[in-house]
Amino acid sequence: NDSLSLKQWRKTKDVTDWFQGLTASNDKDLRFIQFDIETFYPSISESLLDKALEFVELHCPISQSDKSIIKQAKKALLFNEDSCWVKKTNDLFDITMGSYDGAECCEI
């Protein structure tokens, strides 16, 4: 979103191309930061998603219908053969790993 003046990329090549295009008085002025994220998807709770959607509303229009669809898409069921697996919290909310929806949700 341009209103926040933040950069976010989906491809490593896009980041390195951007970085190489930067100019600085010397090479010591430019740095990359690398970090590892542990348990990224599971740490997105329903309340955190609600707060993120509230933040989005401050910067771009989002309808109540769109918010409802986003929330409904987070209800996940897991089946293995003939049995349904139940989460310890007995809650259907889940940011699914490995799905396009899960990745898009993390970008919110």
Side-chain angles (χ1 to χ4, degrees):
N1 185 331
D2 291 338
S3 69
L4 297 176
S5 300
L6 299 174
K7 302 276 187 218
Q8 185 171 359
W9 297 272
R10 294 175 189 231
K11 300 176 188 171
T12 302
K13 183 180 180 336
D14 294 341
V15 175
T16 55
D17 289 349
W18 166 80
F19 188 77
Q20 290 171 349
L22 295 176
T23 58
S25 58
N26 62 52
D27 290 343
K28 293 180 183 180
D29 290 339
L30 301 175
R31 303 248 188 314
F32 260 123
I33 297 174
Q34 178 179 336
F35 58 93
D36 293 324
I37 297 172
E38 184 178 323
T39 64
F40 184 68
Y41 286 83
S43 65
I44 301 174
S45 64
E46 188 169 5
S47 63
L48 181 59
L49 179 62
D50 289 336
K51 290 177 184 176
L53 291 172
E54 289 173 13
F55 177 79
V56 167
E57 283 185 299
L58 299 174
H59 301 283
C60 64
I62 181 169
S63 70
Q64 197 61 36
S65 175
D66 286 345
K67 288 195 300 185
S68 177
I69 290 168
I70 291 168
K71 295 283 298 274
Q72 287 293 321
K74 306 305 169 254
K75 293 184 178 180
L77 301 170
L78 179 60
F79 291 90
N80 181 29
E81 295 180 9
D82 291 335
S83 62
C84 176
W85 290 22
V86 179
K87 292 172 60 174
K88 291 178 183 178
T89 60
N90 202 23
D91 183 11
L92 294 180
F93 181 86
D94 192 26
I95 304 296
T96 53
M97 293 175 45
S99 69
Y100 288 118
D101 177 66
E104 291 291 328
C105 182
C106 290
E107 291 186 8
I108 293 175

